[in-house]
């Protein structure tokens, strides 16, 4: 199964590769007008046997393969990793016609894509996502970035992978928590675009939980089609594409707060997005309603958090609430004194709005997050 789209008359595609079909990349590399040099960057946490299989296939393409192993933690989404990649490209005399292939989650994808865009003003970029959040969201759309001075994605641009490969072999190996953390990004797509996505998640829960590739690949495709629908009309995120940030204003504020407070990866990005979705529905409607209950119910059936109501949080509740509030005002979507969020008008229709009612903002943090 493939998903194809064009940007500025350039073709791009997502390929869904079923089990034991890992020769996916050979023909694409052979067709490229490249210099036959490939830089393969991968997360050290990925199954070693699978990496060896991918490397074996890359070598069959006849290309000269260079490798780099890194840790794809949020803490490494920074300028150090960015320049480490660029330094390796310079050291090995890569050109604009060379290929960088990243294999990892959102952190590795974002930083690798940024390096690909900056090195000699752009080389050829392929991506193999290894987390469910990346597979249903960040693997396409062209957003690149690093976190700088404590602000998420404060430094980045737009650069689209020519090919993305979603592998059943990788899906089977994703840890349970990481796998489920991708579901909120799919719920987001159903809320802002199509109710059929929400129905698909509800009806096919068992097959999705058991990672039946036929169902999981359809789920990924539905979410990516929604993303393509929004970003093709607004590549540089001036208007419509901002709807894809539904839930993210609150999610990023939570992530920044918890990372600073606990000095570890306390919450997965997708988990934060799920809670953020509930916050933005509540803030937009000034109450819990049918849509709020629909979203919360879907999060619950996939065993995802709907708040941060844990003993660790309770011990520092006031400080965490205060910092989430402050971090909302650092959101990168802000273009005036007021942060912006995505208001859901109804199922399938959303609008970019500003957060101006600060009392209601505090109430939302207190009642929904904590």
């Amino acid at each position: 199964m493939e998903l194809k789209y064009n940007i500025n008359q350039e073709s791009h595609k997502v390929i869904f590769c079923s089990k034991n079909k890992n020769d996916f990349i050979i023909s694409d590399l052979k067709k490229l007008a490249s210099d036959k040099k490939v830089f393969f960057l991968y997360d050290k946490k990925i199954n070693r046997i699978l990496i060896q299989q991918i490397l074996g296939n890359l070598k069959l393409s006849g290309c000269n393969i260079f490798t780099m192993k890194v840790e794809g933690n949020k803490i490494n989404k920074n300028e150090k990793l960015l320049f480490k990649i660029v330094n390796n490209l310079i050291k090995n005399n890569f050109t604009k016609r060379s290929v960088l292939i990243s294999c990892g989650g959102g952190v590795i994808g974002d930083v690798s894509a940024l390096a690909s865009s900056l090195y000699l003003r752009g080389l050829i970029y392929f991506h193999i996502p290894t987390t469910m959040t990346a597979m249903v969201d960040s693997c396409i759309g062209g957003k690149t970035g690093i976190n700088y001075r404590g602000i998420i994605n404060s430094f980045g641009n737009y650069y689209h992978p020519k090919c993305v490969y979603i592998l059943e072999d990788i899906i089977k190996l994703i840890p349970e928590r990481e796998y489920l953390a991708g579901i909120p990004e799919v719920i987001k797509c159903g809320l802002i675009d199509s109710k059929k996505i929400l129905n698909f998640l509800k009806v096919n829960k068992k097959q999705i939980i058991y990672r039946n590739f036929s169902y999981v690949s359809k789920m990924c495709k539905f979410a990516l089609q929604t993303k393509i629908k929004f970003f093709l009309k607004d590549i540089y995120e001036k208007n419509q594409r901002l709807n894809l940030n539904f839930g993210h204003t609150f999610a990023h504020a939570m992530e920044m707060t918890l990372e600073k407070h606990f000095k570890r990866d306390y919450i997965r990005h997708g988990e934060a997005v799920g809670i953020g979705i509930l916050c933005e529905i509540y803030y937009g409607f000034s109450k819990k309603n049918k849509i709020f209950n629909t979203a919360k119910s879907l999060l619950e059936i996939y065993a995802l958090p709907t708040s941060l109501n844990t003993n660790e949080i309770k011990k520092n509740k006031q400080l965490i609430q205060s910092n989430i509030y402050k971090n909302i005002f650092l959101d990168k979507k802000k273009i005036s004194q007021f942060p912006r969020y995505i208001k859901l008008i109804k199922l399938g229709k959303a609008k970019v709005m500003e957060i101006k009612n600060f009392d209601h903002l505090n109430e939302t943090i207190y009642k929904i997050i904590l």
Side-chain angles (χ1 to χ4, degrees), residues 34-242:
S34 73
D35 62 6
K36 303 302 179 184
K37 294 181 78 171
V38 172
F39 187 74
F40 180 59
L41 175 73
Y42 65 95
D43 192 324
K44 65 187 296 183
K45 291 184 293 186
I46 301 170
N47 180 276
R48 183 176 58 83
I49 294 173
L50 182 56
I51 290 296
Q52 290 304 315
Q53 289 174 350
I54 294 172
L55 278 171
N57 283 317
L58 290 177
K59 290 171 183 176
L60 290 175
S61 69
C63 295
N64 191 9
I65 312 298
F66 299 79
T67 64
M68 179 176 165
K69 180 168 63 173
V70 300
E71 283 194 55
N73 300 329
K74 286 180 189 177
I75 197 170
N76 291 328
K77 190 178 176 179
N78 57 32
E79 70 279 11
K80 292 179 183 178
L81 178 56
L82 173 66
F83 283 107
K84 187 175 181 180
I85 296 169
V86 172
N87 286 337
N88 270 276
L89 296 173
I90 293 171
K91 177 183 175 182
N92 293 297
N93 299 311
F94 275 68
T95 73
K96 288 179 68 69
R97 300 313 303 164
S98 301
V99 183
L100 191 155
I101 303 173
S102 61
C103 184
V107 170
I108 286 178
D110 282 3
V111 183
S112 297
L114 182 57
S116 298
S117 72
L118 295 174
Y119 182 70
L120 301 179
R121 297 198 178 102
L123 48 67
I124 303 165
Y125 177 53
F126 288 5
H127 183 46
I128 304 170
T130 61
T131 65
M132 188 53 59
T133 303
M135 289 179 189
V136 299
D137 182 58
S138 66
C139 68
I140 65 168
K143 281 188 179 181
T144 77
I146 58 172
N147 303 335
Y148 188 63
R149 298 204 168 189
I151 302 175
I152 291 176
N153 296 322
S154 56
F155 190 92
N157 61 11
Y158 296 87
Y159 198 72
H160 302 267
K162 185 167 183 60
C163 299
V164 172
Y165 304 93
I166 293 178
L167 280 61
E168 180 180 9
D169 287 337
I170 287 178
I171 288 172
K172 296 292 186 184
L173 294 171
I174 299 173
E176 185 74 6
R177 185 179 177 188
E178 296 288 352
Y179 178 75
L180 294 174
I183 301 295
E185 294 283 6
V186 185
I187 294 172
K188 172 197 76 178
C189 292
L191 292 169
I192 66 172
D193 183 34
S194 174
K195 189 177 179 180
K196 75 174 184 181
I197 298 174
L198 303 179
N199 290 335
F200 184 84
L201 286 172
K202 186 176 180 180
V203 172
N204 299 296
K205 175 206 166 186
K206 187 175 180 180
Q207 299 294 347
I208 293 169
I209 292 290
Y210 288 163
R211 310 193 197 194
N212 182 314
F213 188 63
S214 175
Y215 289 84
V216 176
S217 58
K218 284 179 185 175
M219 178 183 75
C220 294
K221 188 175 181 180
F222 285 150
L224 296 178
Q225 283 173 327
T226 292
K227 188 160 189 177
I228 291 168
K229 173 182 173 180
F230 281 98
F231 81 66
L232 282 186
K233 298 174 183 176
D234 182 20
I235 293 292
Y236 299 108
E237 203 171 27
K238 303 296 183 185
N239 189 2
Q240 274 192 318
R241 181 173 178 162
L242 286 165

Side-chain angles (χ1 to χ4, degrees), residues 296-317:
K296 186 178 181 184
S297 174
L298 276 172
L299 291 170
E300 288 172 341
I301 69 171
Y302 282 96
L304 287 156
T306 57
S307 74
L308 294 179
N309 188 20
T310 66
N311 289 331
E312 278 187 296
I313 299 293
K314 286 176 182 176
K315 290 176 184 176
N316 299 278
K317 190 171 182 177

